Amino acid sequence: MTRHAHAMSEPLSTSTEQDERDRRIAELEARLSRRRVGVKPLAAVLAIIVAGVLLAMQRRDLAYFFSPRAPLTLGTEGAYRYEALVSNRYAQVHGIPTARGAYERADGGLYVLVGLRESPLVVRRGALDGEQWTQGRPPPQPDQRPFAVRGRLLSEEEAPRYREALALLRSMGEVQPHEGRLWLLIEGEQPGADRGLVLVSLALVAFIALNAVLLVKGLRRS
């Protein structure tokens, strides 16, 4: 009888220990779940806000990427088509450069911002032979040959990076603002060329969607 009673006590002890482990695991899961509810939704909201801001900062570049690839024709010297001026569009123009310009070094290259005479147009293009400038010395006169150029057209307000250069050219009196505004044509920038921009934007959209899902799950747990 003693041996039989001892044999029956082992399953009871094992069952009691298993119940205690299950209870502790349930308590731990409940505690961790409460912590996740307090942290994850907030983190997801912050992530969505940051990614949304970054995406909004690229809205003009994205709009230009998907804009028409046929250039706006702005005309030639003496016959400029001011009615065709539309910011953030691909455009082409022909003109005579102003006698003075502004120089900048960017992305390892030298660039010239030069106005087109009797117009509100300023062109940013790569420096030509004879336009080499050493910082700290007076800049050379821009090449005076008439030229044609295609690129991204921006109104003065939408080109904050070039605000100082445009103000300098305006002060020289060789360009003529149209309705109080200058226009910048950035040579070589074509719609649909910057595929890296789209990849980054898609990654941001996916990141926002993922955090939106996490936010909904976190709120449901609460």
Side-chain angles (χ1 to χ4, degrees), residues 16-28:
T16 301
E17 291 176 358
Q18 182 65 42
D19 291 343
E20 181 64 20
R21 281 198 296 269
D22 291 343
R23 185 181 64 80
R24 290 181 179 179
I25 290 172
E27 289 179 353
L28 180 60

PDB file of all heavy atoms in Angstrom, residues 16-28:
ATOM      1  N   THR A  16       1.060  20.106 -10.034  1.00  0.00           N
ATOM      2  CA  THR A  16       1.089  21.353  -9.268  1.00  0.00           C
ATOM      3  C   THR A  16       2.196  22.278  -9.756  1.00  0.00           C
ATOM      4  O   THR A  16       2.007  23.487  -9.917  1.00  0.00           O
ATOM      5  CB  THR A  16       1.293  21.049  -7.776  1.00  0.00           C
ATOM      6  OG1 THR A  16       0.232  20.205  -7.327  1.00  0.00           O
ATOM      7  CG2 THR A  16       1.308  22.343  -6.951  1.00  0.00           C
ATOM      8  N   GLU A  17       3.382  21.723 -10.022  1.00  0.00           N
ATOM      9  CA  GLU A  17       4.501  22.520 -10.530  1.00  0.00           C
ATOM     10  C   GLU A  17       4.183  23.101 -11.901  1.00  0.00           C
ATOM     11  O   GLU A  17       4.525  24.253 -12.203  1.00  0.00           O
ATOM     12  CB  GLU A  17       5.760  21.658 -10.585  1.00  0.00           C
ATOM     13  CG  GLU A  17       6.303  21.271  -9.220  1.00  0.00           C
ATOM     14  CD  GLU A  17       7.489  20.334  -9.336  1.00  0.00           C
ATOM     15  OE1 GLU A  17       7.832  19.982 -10.501  1.00  0.00           O
ATOM     16  OE2 GLU A  17       8.064  19.965  -8.303  1.00  0.00           O
ATOM     17  N   GLN A  18       3.541  22.329 -12.762  1.00  0.00           N
ATOM     18  CA  GLN A  18       3.181  22.800 -14.100  1.00  0.00           C
ATOM     19  C   GLN A  18       2.184  23.948 -14.017  1.00  0.00           C
ATOM     20  O   GLN A  18       2.287  24.955 -14.725  1.00  0.00           O
ATOM     21  CB  GLN A  18       2.581  21.655 -14.925  1.00  0.00           C
ATOM     22  CG  GLN A  18       2.222  22.036 -16.348  1.00  0.00           C
ATOM     23  CD  GLN A  18       3.448  22.407 -17.154  1.00  0.00           C
ATOM     24  OE1 GLN A  18       4.486  21.738 -17.058  1.00  0.00           O
ATOM     25  NE2 GLN A  18       3.357  23.475 -17.930  1.00  0.00           N
ATOM     26  N   ASP A  19       1.211  23.802 -13.099  1.00  0.00           N
ATOM     27  CA  ASP A  19       0.238  24.879 -12.914  1.00  0.00           C
ATOM     28  C   ASP A  19       0.906  26.155 -12.451  1.00  0.00           C
ATOM     29  O   ASP A  19       0.555  27.265 -12.882  1.00  0.00           O
ATOM     30  CB  ASP A  19      -0.838  24.445 -11.898  1.00  0.00           C
ATOM     31  CG  ASP A  19      -1.740  23.356 -12.457  1.00  0.00           C
ATOM     32  OD1 ASP A  19      -1.730  23.183 -13.700  1.00  0.00           O
ATOM     33  OD2 ASP A  19      -2.420  22.694 -11.658  1.00  0.00           O
ATOM     34  N   GLU A  20       1.888  26.013 -11.540  1.00  0.00           N
ATOM     35  CA  GLU A  20       2.600  27.190 -11.031  1.00  0.00           C
ATOM     36  C   GLU A  20       3.405  27.858 -12.141  1.00  0.00           C
ATOM     37  O   GLU A  20       3.437  29.092 -12.249  1.00  0.00           O
ATOM     38  CB  GLU A  20       3.527  26.764  -9.889  1.00  0.00           C
ATOM     39  CG  GLU A  20       4.328  27.887  -9.247  1.00  0.00           C
ATOM     40  CD  GLU A  20       3.446  28.907  -8.551  1.00  0.00           C
ATOM     41  OE1 GLU A  20       2.274  28.589  -8.232  1.00  0.00           O
ATOM     42  OE2 GLU A  20       3.938  30.039  -8.326  1.00  0.00           O
ATOM     43  N   ARG A  21       4.067  27.054 -12.984  1.00  0.00           N
ATOM     44  CA  ARG A  21       4.822  27.620 -14.114  1.00  0.00           C
ATOM     45  C   ARG A  21       3.890  28.342 -15.077  1.00  0.00           C
ATOM     46  O   ARG A  21       4.194  29.429 -15.559  1.00  0.00           O
ATOM     47  CB  ARG A  21       5.599  26.520 -14.843  1.00  0.00           C
ATOM     48  CG  ARG A  21       6.879  26.107 -14.141  1.00  0.00           C
ATOM     49  CD  ARG A  21       7.796  25.368 -15.100  1.00  0.00           C
ATOM     50  NE  ARG A  21       7.180  24.105 -15.534  1.00  0.00           N
ATOM     51  CZ  ARG A  21       7.345  22.954 -14.922  1.00  0.00           C
ATOM     52  NH1 ARG A  21       8.107  22.877 -13.836  1.00  0.00           N
ATOM     53  NH2 ARG A  21       6.758  21.864 -15.386  1.00  0.00           N
ATOM     54  N   ASP A  22       2.749  27.722 -15.384  1.00  0.00           N
ATOM     55  CA  ASP A  22       1.798  28.358 -16.293  1.00  0.00           C
ATOM     56  C   ASP A  22       1.312  29.690 -15.737  1.00  0.00           C
ATOM     57  O   ASP A  22       1.138  30.666 -16.482  1.00  0.00           O
ATOM     58  CB  ASP A  22       0.600  27.434 -16.530  1.00  0.00           C
ATOM     59  CG  ASP A  22       0.979  26.199 -17.347  1.00  0.00           C
ATOM     60  OD1 ASP A  22       2.062  26.233 -17.983  1.00  0.00           O
ATOM     61  OD2 ASP A  22       0.200  25.231 -17.342  1.00  0.00           O
ATOM     62  N   ARG A  23       1.076  29.705 -14.409  1.00  0.00           N
ATOM     63  CA  ARG A  23       0.606  30.947 -13.791  1.00  0.00           C
ATOM     64  C   ARG A  23       1.656  32.043 -13.885  1.00  0.00           C
ATOM     65  O   ARG A  23       1.350  33.195 -14.206  1.00  0.00           O
ATOM     66  CB  ARG A  23       0.251  30.688 -12.325  1.00  0.00           C
ATOM     67  CG  ARG A  23      -0.367  31.892 -11.598  1.00  0.00           C
ATOM     68  CD  ARG A  23      -0.660  31.551 -10.151  1.00  0.00           C
ATOM     69  NE  ARG A  23       0.559  31.270  -9.422  1.00  0.00           N
ATOM     70  CZ  ARG A  23       1.373  32.237  -8.936  1.00  0.00           C
ATOM     71  NH1 ARG A  23       1.056  33.513  -9.121  1.00  0.00           N
ATOM     72  NH2 ARG A  23       2.454  31.916  -8.265  1.00  0.00           N
ATOM     73  N   ARG A  24       2.910  31.681 -13.625  1.00  0.00           N
ATOM     74  CA  ARG A  24       3.992  32.674 -13.691  1.00  0.00           C
ATOM     75  C   ARG A  24       4.212  33.172 -15.120  1.00  0.00           C
ATOM     76  O   ARG A  24       4.468  34.351 -15.342  1.00  0.00           O
ATOM     77  CB  ARG A  24       5.285  32.068 -13.135  1.00  0.00           C
ATOM     78  CG  ARG A  24       5.243  31.842 -11.631  1.00  0.00           C
ATOM     79  CD  ARG A  24       6.546  31.265 -11.127  1.00  0.00           C
ATOM     80  NE  ARG A  24       6.511  31.071  -9.680  1.00  0.00           N
ATOM     81  CZ  ARG A  24       7.532  30.557  -8.986  1.00  0.00           C
ATOM     82  NH1 ARG A  24       8.646  30.181  -9.618  1.00  0.00           N
ATOM     83  NH2 ARG A  24       7.430  30.421  -7.679  1.00  0.00           N
ATOM     84  N   ILE A  25       4.144  32.257 -16.073  1.00  0.00           N
ATOM     85  CA  ILE A  25       4.295  32.656 -17.480  1.00  0.00           C
ATOM     86  C   ILE A  25       3.186  33.615 -17.891  1.00  0.00           C
ATOM     87  O   ILE A  25       3.408  34.619 -18.566  1.00  0.00           O
ATOM     88  CB  ILE A  25       4.316  31.412 -18.396  1.00  0.00           C
ATOM     89  CG1 ILE A  25       5.619  30.620 -18.183  1.00  0.00           C
ATOM     90  CG2 ILE A  25       4.178  31.818 -19.858  1.00  0.00           C
ATOM     91  CD1 ILE A  25       5.642  29.287 -18.890  1.00  0.00           C
ATOM     92  N   ALA A  26       1.965  33.307 -17.468  1.00  0.00           N
ATOM     93  CA  ALA A  26       0.827  34.181 -17.794  1.00  0.00           C
ATOM     94  C   ALA A  26       1.011  35.565 -17.185  1.00  0.00           C
ATOM     95  O   ALA A  26       0.729  36.588 -17.822  1.00  0.00           O
ATOM     96  CB  ALA A  26      -0.474  33.546 -17.302  1.00  0.00           C
ATOM     97  N   GLU A  27       1.503  35.608 -15.924  1.00  0.00           N
ATOM     98  CA  GLU A  27       1.750  36.900 -15.277  1.00  0.00           C
ATOM     99  C   GLU A  27       2.816  37.690 -16.021  1.00  0.00           C
ATOM    100  O   GLU A  27       2.699  38.905 -16.218  1.00  0.00           O
ATOM    101  CB  GLU A  27       2.170  36.686 -13.821  1.00  0.00           C
ATOM    102  CG  GLU A  27       1.044  36.199 -12.919  1.00  0.00           C
ATOM    103  CD  GLU A  27       1.535  35.976 -11.498  1.00  0.00           C
ATOM    104  OE1 GLU A  27       2.769  36.078 -11.267  1.00  0.00           O
ATOM    105  OE2 GLU A  27       0.689  35.687 -10.616  1.00  0.00           O
ATOM    106  N   LEU A  28       3.902  36.976 -16.420  1.00  0.00           N
ATOM    107  CA  LEU A  28       4.988  37.646 -17.141  1.00  0.00           C
ATOM    108  C   LEU A  28       4.506  38.177 -18.487  1.00  0.00           C
ATOM    109  O   LEU A  28       4.826  39.313 -18.866  1.00  0.00           O
ATOM    110  CB  LEU A  28       6.152  36.666 -17.345  1.00  0.00           C
ATOM    111  CG  LEU A  28       7.381  37.214 -18.084  1.00  0.00           C
ATOM    112  CD1 LEU A  28       7.969  38.400 -17.331  1.00  0.00           C
ATOM    113  CD2 LEU A  28       8.422  36.129 -18.290  1.00  0.00           C
TER     114      LEU A  28
END
